[in-house]
Amino acid sequence: MRFTRTRHRLLLLVVVALTAFAACGSSGGGSTAGQASGRPVSGGSLTFATDTEPINFDIHVSPQDVTALIQRNVFDSLVYQDSKGAFHPWLAESWETAPDLRSYTFHLRTGVRFSDGTAFDAEAVKLNFEHVVAKTTKSQFAASLLGPYTGTEVIDPTTVKVSFSQPFAPFLQAASTAYLGFYSPKALAENAGKLSAGGPVDVGTGPFLFSSYTKGQSVVLTRNPAYAWAPKGAGHSGPAYLDRLTIRFLRENSVRVGALNSGQIDVAGSLPPANVKAVEANRSLQVLRRDASGGNYNIYPNTTRGPLTDERVRKALQQGINIDQNVRTVYFGQYKRAWSPVGALTPSYNPALVGTWPYDAAKANRLLDEAGWTGRDAGGYRTKDGKRLSLRWPIVPSLVREQRDILGQAIQEDLHKIGVEIVRPSLDAGTYIDAIYSGDYDLLDLSWARFEPDVLRLAFHSKSTAANGGQNASYFNDPDVDRWTVTGEGTFDTSVRNDVYAKTQQRVIERAAVIPVYTPSYIVGAASYVRDLTFDTNAWPRFYDVWRDKK
Amino acid sequence: MIVRLLSGVAKRLLAAVVVMVGAATLAFGALHLIPGDQVSILLGPNSAASPEVRAQIRSDYGFDRPLVVQYAQYLSNVVRGRLGESYQQNQPVSALIGGQVWPTLQLAAAALGLALVIAAVSAVATAGRRPAWRSLASAWELVAVSTPAFWTGLLLLTAFSFQLHVFPVAGAQDLRSLVLPALALALSLAGVLGQVLREGLETALRQPFATTARARGLSQLAVTTRHAFRHAAVPLLTLAGWLTGTLVGGVVAVETVFGRPGIGALILLAVSTKDMPVVMGIVLLCGLIFVVTSLLVDLLAVVVDPRLRAEAVAV
């Protein structure tokens, strides 16, 4: 093609100018609704746009966040966990925990009906849990929430006992998630194979009915007028306020933000940090957020391989990265840097760790010198016995989220300054998973959100390696941490849990088994007439209490 | 004569079958060339699936059988129209594709039609005209060709949806929601087609028959549309047919940007989750589209160009 470079550049300039103009012109006036919350009114519909589309709608199968986010409106759980972590009655009016934590007895609420008319009873609980663990269900997540499950016993129509082969304290939290929600027994019997596809076959007891699903486009939920069993702790009781909730799938960030700005949707999920300031500045919009709990976005050094077996080298990495500045720059000040492997909203978070391991390049250099990495090669990297201090940190481009690749470049640059080389081979998902299982890496990055400090056991217990279905990417092995996390898993006593989990967090930081980086935040942009939009413990928006102010 | 015709048709069909088997084999090969354990891949990283679930999946999908057996089983299933079941969506692949194919066909057909119209207007209006018009037209065509469809889509959305509120941002609920995605996809196609058509028209206009036609007193427009156009139409058709086969790539991007249902959403989901049965099904579908459009193009070429009729029979 005969087309010169200068013309190309000119074209680019025109296009950029065009978009820049378009971006500037968007924030409209509109009436400011103010923050004073009036009396909720019933009626109207709401459109929420999310960036991911469920692959599978079956809550008992799918491990996806977005599946639970949507289906939470359609399915209820036995218990309800409020945003502070306390448990409240929901489909279970009360419950007793066996002293050895091997069984839980639930007294079910009466009068609850699935939207197909079937009654919710003890038999329904049993059928659902059996569906979760059935081999044919191929559960990718819910079955792991049931842990050492052995069976469910129907004691009478409103009493049910769930048993485990060993003490299992995390069960109440698990039972509060949408993944352990309840399908109508009729739906399970007649449509077990079709639940994955979504639509009206997904029958639950929730405040909304699953009316339709158009792949690639939207899910439509309509109000369940019979709903009268909202959990204690929710904003109201009775049916939901909204007549209809439409969930649109708009993968492209700029499209989601543009649609919000132009009033074509009411709520936009996963607002990119770069756009937050602009949405905040728009008086007809509001920004709502909640930080994720559970495992932060952390980097895990492989403590069983090469230079990182030396704690001093790990410590040098921990304090040789300017985390504050990197996180602030990449995320426009919207995400918080992390001091602990778990987020600040996680129960038993240890706030004493804040500020205990600041950026200190001088100290990092000293530690590396002490560890014997005193030589320097032509590239400016440290050497020991002629070998370069080079670490392998694999990356899967197709799985990169939240610009973590760019954050990784900043980290690479910081470590270069203290003479550490970071090599980031691009792998496809298959090779990457093989690398995880075989421990063929020096550094690995992960985030694992869950409102439960038990993630510390998953991440640091010596038996919890990838091969055993765990997350111990550091291959960390500390008998104290093993004991503490097992104690925490086996008790409800808050003071004991606070104690053991605080010690665990401190120990893994001290021994540099982890480099916490940032706490992801779920940021939502919404029109100002959208009221009472709150977040659950997973930081997913909740729609049951939402109502539209006028308009 | 009839025997010759039939043998020509038979050869075509045979070639089509070879293409389809080739596509199926490539898809199967790709599945098995992907590094890593198949079950781990389909479960994805961070999966908490138990070893029992893994074993169940392994036997369900026949990963534990020899490769040759798996291949034979796969081919025989394909012949019987069974494309298997999606790993991730627990639904038959044929149902998934069947449910998504209609909005995509709508979009592709609208885009192709629009592209042909734009290309024809732009080329006919400027072929053999003043250089200023020509270079203006070919400049916009180059811009259109070199702009990726998703970017055009974003610009169109910004202007006509976010600013002017003329068209809805996304979806496939009515004709109005088809306009912007079809236009985004059509512009780059129109760029290519317009260039080729103008080239063809100008070559034809330099032929002696064009001079003759003009000598009979026909206007420039009449010469171009009635005489030169037919000549230039054959390469245009061939190219349009080939572009239709490659349209799927553009469709993925455009459907994603506009949040439209269709094969694009399915491909993206399937590729990003390594849902190989779906990927293989879509590869077959693309093969089929390619085969069908080439057949159609060949037929149309014969209709347009009388010189090809004798040859077609002789094939």
Side-chain angles (χ1 to χ4, degrees):
Chain A
M1 264 175 227
R2 277 172 291 135
F3 202 64
T4 61
R5 212 153 258 280
T6 38
R7 275 199 225 164
H8 257 305
R9 233 178 259 148
L10 184 73
L11 162 69
L12 194 73
L13 200 73
V14 170
V15 169
V16 168
L18 204 67
T19 35
F21 155 75
C24 292
S26 344
S27 48
S31 62
T32 30
Q35 286 310 305
S37 219
R39 254 174 64 92
V41 283
S42 202
S45 57
L46 193 88
T47 303
F48 166 65
T50 165
D51 64 337
T52 33
E53 180 168 355
I55 297 164
N56 187 318
F57 278 98
D58 190 342
I59 44 176
H60 293 171
V61 173
S62 174
Q64 276 188 295
D65 292 354
V66 67
T67 301
L69 189 163
I70 294 172
Q71 297 285 44
R72 176 78 289 175
N73 298 296
V74 183
F75 297 98
D76 292 336
S77 297
L78 283 174
V79 293
Y80 175 85
Q81 191 177 26
D82 68 22
S83 54
K84 300 218 167 49
F87 294 104
H88 300 277
W90 196 350
L91 293 184
E93 263 176 344
S94 62
W95 57 88
E96 290 117 35
T97 308
D100 62 356
L101 299 184
R102 282 171 199 255
S103 69
Y104 294 75
T105 306
F106 295 94
H107 302 282
L108 305 178
R109 186 173 186 140
T110 49
V112 175
R113 289 199 170 271
F114 290 97
S115 55
D116 61 3
T118 322
F120 170 79
D121 55 13
E123 193 61 34
V125 174
K126 183 179 162 74
L127 286 171
N128 271 274
F129 286 170
E130 272 167 10
H131 179 247
V132 170
V133 295
K135 265 195 204 169
T136 46
T137 306
K138 293 186 214 126
S139 173
Q140 295 181 22
F141 186 61
S144 71
L145 286 177
L146 280 178
Y149 174 80
T150 51
T152 305
E153 194 188 328
V154 175
I155 291 170
D156 64 53
T158 60
T159 314
V160 67
K161 182 175 164 191
V162 186
S163 306
F164 302 92
S165 61
Q166 43 175 297
F168 192 52
F171 180 58
L172 272 190
Q173 197 275 335
S176 75
T177 65
Y179 302 108
L180 293 184
F182 297 98
Y183 286 107
S184 151
K186 206 165 131 198
L188 281 180
E190 290 168 7
N191 294 316
K194 295 183 196 148
L195 302 173
S196 308
V201 290
D202 284 12
V203 178
T205 57
F208 289 90
L209 313 177
F210 199 141
S211 300
S212 70
Y213 168 50
T214 313
K215 196 188 286 296
Q217 181 172 317
S218 61
V219 158
V220 177
L221 307 179
T222 44
R223 174 167 46 198
N224 176 3
Y227 193 70
W229 39 87
K232 294 217 172 64
H236 75 294
S237 56
Y241 294 125
L242 296 169
D243 293 335
R244 200 160 63 140
L245 173 63
T246 306
I247 294 131
R248 306 283 307 250
F249 306 114
L250 298 177
R251 199 179 294 265
E252 201 61 47
N253 284 340
S254 51
V255 172
R256 219 164 47 252
V257 174
L260 178 70
N261 274 322
S262 60
Q264 299 185 57
I265 57 173
D266 307 300
V267 181
S270 307
L271 206 59
N275 295 94
V276 171
K277 282 257 154 63
V279 172
E280 271 170 345
N282 187 335
R283 284 186 304 150
S284 57
L285 300 176
Q286 54 183 330
V287 172
L288 306 161
R289 72 176 79 215
R290 181 177 159 106
D291 290 343
S293 348
N296 283 322
Y297 175 69
N298 299 331
I299 298 171
Y300 295 89
N302 184 345
T303 58
T304 59
R305 205 174 98 134
L308 295 181
T309 48
D310 189 332
E311 198 172 301
R312 288 168 296 189
V313 180
R314 301 202 300 267
K315 204 76 200 158
L317 296 193
Q318 214 179 35
Q319 297 199 256
I321 303 169
N322 194 349
I323 297 176
D324 269 319
Q325 185 188 313
N326 295 343
V327 170
R328 195 170 54 238
T329 313
V330 175
Y331 301 112
F332 296 84
Q334 298 301 324
Y335 293 168
K336 294 189 190 88
R337 76 146 295 175
W339 292 102
S340 158
V342 294
L345 292 179
T346 319
S348 305
Y349 167 74
N350 183 355
L353 286 171
V354 172
T356 53
W357 48 281
Y359 176 52
D360 189 343
K363 184 180 171 192
N365 274 316
R366 205 168 57 239
L367 284 166
L368 290 172
D369 286 341
E370 281 170 23
W373 294 94
T374 45
R376 290 275 178 170
D377 65 9
Y381 296 110
R382 288 172 178 272
T383 56
K384 178 160 130 184
D385 307 330
K387 257 191 76 189
R388 176 185 280 190
L389 179 48
S390 176
L391 302 174
R392 185 179 146 89
W393 180 12
I395 183 171
V396 184
S398 63
L399 294 178
V400 166
R401 300 183 286 134
E402 293 172 352
Q403 298 189 291
R404 289 173 181 178
D405 47 344
I406 296 169
L407 189 63
Q409 286 167 17
I411 291 171
Q412 225 168 354
E413 197 41 50
D414 285 346
L415 293 176
H416 185 187
K417 284 182 202 148
I418 57 166
V420 181
E421 183 186 43
I422 302 292
V423 186
R424 301 212 71 185
S426 276
L427 304 183
D428 62 90
T431 323
Y432 180 71
I433 291 164
D434 279 352
I436 293 182
Y437 279 95
S438 59
D440 182 21
Y441 57 85
D442 296 308
L443 298 170
L444 204 72
D445 53 326
L446 285 174
S447 61
W448 187 253
R450 197 177 158 194
F451 192 69
E452 175 51 64
D454 190 40
V455 292
L456 289 166
R457 184 183 56 82
L458 279 172
F460 299 109
H461 190 284
S462 60
K463 293 270 167 12
S464 172
T465 55
N468 297 329
Q471 306 277 332
N472 187 348
S474 320
Y475 291 92
F476 188 59
N477 189 340
D478 184 320
D480 287 338
V481 166
D482 285 5
R483 209 178 57 242
W484 291 330
T485 52
V486 169
T487 308
E489 186 201 10
T491 181
F492 278 122
D493 188 329
T494 319
S495 59
V496 174
R497 278 166 71 99
N498 284 347
D499 176 52
V500 293
Y501 286 128
K503 283 195 274 196
T504 304
Q505 291 167 65
Q506 192 178 354
R507 177 66 60 85
V508 297
I509 291 292
E510 271 170 11
R511 294 201 52 201
V514 63
I515 307 170
V517 185
Y518 70 87
T519 305
S521 192
Y522 194 82
I523 310 179
V524 161
S528 49
Y529 53 78
V530 175
R531 294 306 182 86
D532 290 345
L533 180 68
T534 54
F535 296 90
D536 66 10
T537 52
N538 296 300
W540 301 330
R542 235 185 327 222
F543 291 98
Y544 169 62
D545 291 327
V546 171
W547 53 285
R548 284 180 72 121
D549 200 357
K550 285 170 235 135
K551 197 174 170 189
Chain B
M1 172 96 171
I2 290 172
V3 176
R4 273 182 165 188
L5 189 69
L6 282 181
S7 87
V9 171
K11 270 184 193 166
R12 273 288 151 76
L13 283 177
L14 191 70
V17 169
V18 170
V19 169
M20 293 304 290
V21 171
T25 307
L26 270 181
F28 182 83
L31 170 68
H32 290 274
L33 283 176
I34 291 178
D37 174 51
Q38 305 229 17
V39 177
S40 299
I41 289 171
L42 78 89
L43 285 174
N46 304 339
S47 163
S50 65
E52 293 81 50
V53 168
R54 286 170 193 270
Q56 175 78 24
I57 293 172
R58 199 174 298 279
S59 82
D60 276 5
Y61 290 108
F63 294 149
D64 46 358
R65 280 176 288 173
L67 204 58
V68 187
V69 178
Q70 288 186 49
Y71 179 63
Q73 183 68 46
Y74 166 68
L75 277 192
S76 87
N77 279 340
V78 167
V79 169
R80 282 175 294 166
R82 287 192 208 149
L83 298 177
E85 194 178 85
S86 156
Y87 293 162
Q88 307 290 351
Q89 309 185 46
N90 295 1
Q91 291 166 66
V93 172
S94 45
L96 281 172
I97 293 181
Q100 292 301 100
V101 80
W102 180 233
T104 299
L105 286 183
Q106 261 184 330
L107 174 62
L112 196 66
L114 209 57
L116 283 171
V117 170
I118 298 173
V121 169
S122 155
V124 167
T126 57
R129 300 287 172 124
R130 258 177 285 157
W133 288 111
R134 280 198 70 234
S135 36
L136 195 69
S138 60
W140 96 255
E141 280 159 3
L142 266 176
V143 171
V145 174
S146 32
T147 315
F150 84 92
W151 179 240
T152 318
L154 282 179
L155 290 183
L156 288 172
L157 268 179
T158 308
F160 294 101
S161 181
F162 303 158
Q163 293 293 309
L164 302 172
H165 303 270
V166 185
F167 296 106
V169 64
Q173 50 280 17
D174 51 13
L175 210 58
R176 233 158 48 92
S177 62
L178 185 64
V179 176
L180 290 184
L183 196 61
L185 202 53
L187 282 178
S188 59
L189 290 179
V192 185
L193 296 175
Q195 297 254 310
V196 170
L197 185 59
R198 180 173 318 94
E199 201 77 20
L201 283 177
E202 287 177 347
T203 313
L205 285 174
R206 283 195 294 271
Q207 302 279 322
F209 74 82
T211 319
T212 315
R214 242 182 245 122
R216 291 208 320 264
L218 285 181
S219 68
Q220 170 75 14
L221 187 66
V223 175
T224 315
T225 49
R226 267 194 237 158
H227 297 274
F229 195 80
R230 257 195 170 201
H231 277 259
V234 176
L236 181 76
L237 264 178
T238 317
L239 192 66
W242 182 77
L243 283 175
T244 311
T246 63
L247 210 57
V248 180
V251 162
V252 174
V254 169
E255 286 182 348
T256 307
V257 166
F258 287 91
R260 260 182 78 85
I263 293 291
L266 198 62
I267 294 180
L268 207 65
L269 216 62
V271 171
S272 59
T273 58
K274 294 271 160 40
D275 198 345
M276 286 315 285
V278 180
V279 173
M280 287 154 84
I282 292 169
V283 168
L284 284 180
L285 176 76
C286 294
L288 189 69
I289 293 175
F290 222 90
V291 166
V292 170
T293 45
S294 336
L295 273 177
L296 274 179
V297 165
D298 287 348
L299 280 176
L300 273 176
V302 174
V303 173
V304 173
D305 192 343
R307 290 173 302 183
L308 290 175
R309 278 171 215 168
E311 283 173 37
V313 173
V315 165

